[in-house]
Amino acid sequence: MRQPAYRLSFTTGGLLRAEAVAIAGIMLSSNDAAQARDRAIAQNVVQQRTTASTVRMTREVLQRLAELPEAGVELVAHGSVDDSRHALWLAACLRYRFLRDFGREVVRDRYVTGRSLVTSEDFDTFWNLQSSWVDALRDAADSTRNKLRQNTFRMLRDAGMLSANGQVLPVHPTAAVSEVIAASDPTLLLSFPANDARVGGLAGASNGAR
């Protein structure tokens, strides 16, 4: 399986669902990625105040959406709120290995073991463990670590996987979302807070669809 790099550029913005819905629509109606980017920037669909911010935010959303197969982009653009945010969490996990691993090793682990609460201390413990072998984490400034902690929790709340007080909320991806996960990387089912039976059922359905 593809092992994505430990990129640490998701410092602001959360899941960016509203921006992603708008840009996904443009992607589906454009001939290529460059054209979609130019249209999104020209229309400032991310609603930023400066050109630099518009370019930066548009690029971030496009990079996440580019991780998804076309069916995933369709879900973001035209799916239900839950489908779109689950597809966007998948996109974020595909783009950012840190989120993929945190989702699996902390968020889902808390859920399946019945502890259900994820705290800032859990984030820091995970960071410290990963930094023993990931240079990007070990060398990151404290300010970067703080921003990533804040935005990781924001993204989880935006995705409907974490409550305001840090309680893990189980998710039930639809068949359409499950198919997109399977097409992208079936192991990413483990980055969603679902119990073993649910994950096993989704994995079985994904294998049967192939």
Side-chain angles (χ1 to χ4, degrees):
M1 283 296 175
R2 179 171 64 112
Q3 296 294 319
Y6 259 91
R7 302 183 181 96
L8 302 180
S9 55
F10 59 102
T11 54
T12 60
L15 205 62
L16 301 172
R17 179 178 175 271
E19 296 84 352
V21 169
I23 292 178
I26 291 175
M27 288 175 66
L28 292 170
S29 63
S30 298
N31 293 326
D32 56 43
Q35 184 183 73
R37 174 186 178 277
D38 292 344
R39 284 181 57 191
I41 291 172
Q43 296 173 21
N44 189 20
V45 297
V46 296
Q47 298 184 9
Q48 295 295 298
R49 294 183 178 180
T50 68
T51 300
S53 296
T54 297
V55 171
R56 182 169 59 252
M57 186 71 74
T58 300
R59 180 172 59 244
E60 173 63 24
V61 174
L62 281 168
Q63 287 173 339
R64 295 186 195 180
L65 290 174
E67 300 284 347
L68 297 173
E70 185 173 351
V73 180
E74 289 272 5
L75 279 180
V76 173
H78 305 303
S80 68
V81 172
D82 281 348
D83 278 0
S84 64
R85 62 186 182 176
H86 292 163
L88 286 169
W89 174 250
L90 171 65
C93 289
L94 286 164
R95 178 71 181 164
Y96 297 109
R97 185 176 177 183
F98 182 91
L99 294 174
R100 182 201 69 179
D101 292 349
F102 188 79
R104 182 184 66 243
E105 297 178 26
V106 179
V107 180
R108 183 172 182 273
D109 176 75
R110 294 297 181 274
Y111 174 65
V112 298
T113 58
R115 287 175 284 174
S116 295
L117 185 67
V118 179
T119 67
S120 295
E121 289 74 21
D122 293 323
F123 180 96
D124 290 338
T125 298
F126 176 77
W127 181 287
N128 291 335
L129 287 171
Q130 298 297 91
S131 67
S132 66
W133 63 277
V134 179
D135 292 345
L137 299 182
R138 185 172 58 250
D139 299 338
D142 288 343
S143 58
T144 298
R145 176 172 174 161
N146 292 337
K147 289 177 182 177
L148 292 174
R149 183 194 302 111
Q150 181 180 33
N151 206 39
T152 295
F153 281 85
R154 179 178 177 181
M155 293 174 79
L156 286 164
R157 292 192 298 268
D158 289 350
M161 299 180 185
L162 207 65
S163 70
N165 64 357
Q167 291 287 331
V168 178
L169 304 174
V171 301
H172 306 287
T174 62
V177 173
S178 300
E179 289 174 4
V180 172
I181 296 172
S184 302
D185 181 348
T187 67
L188 284 173
L189 290 168
L190 296 172
S191 294
F192 288 74
N195 60 34
D196 290 340
R198 180 72 180 176
V199 168
L202 291 174
S206 299
N207 290 333
R210 293 186 172 187

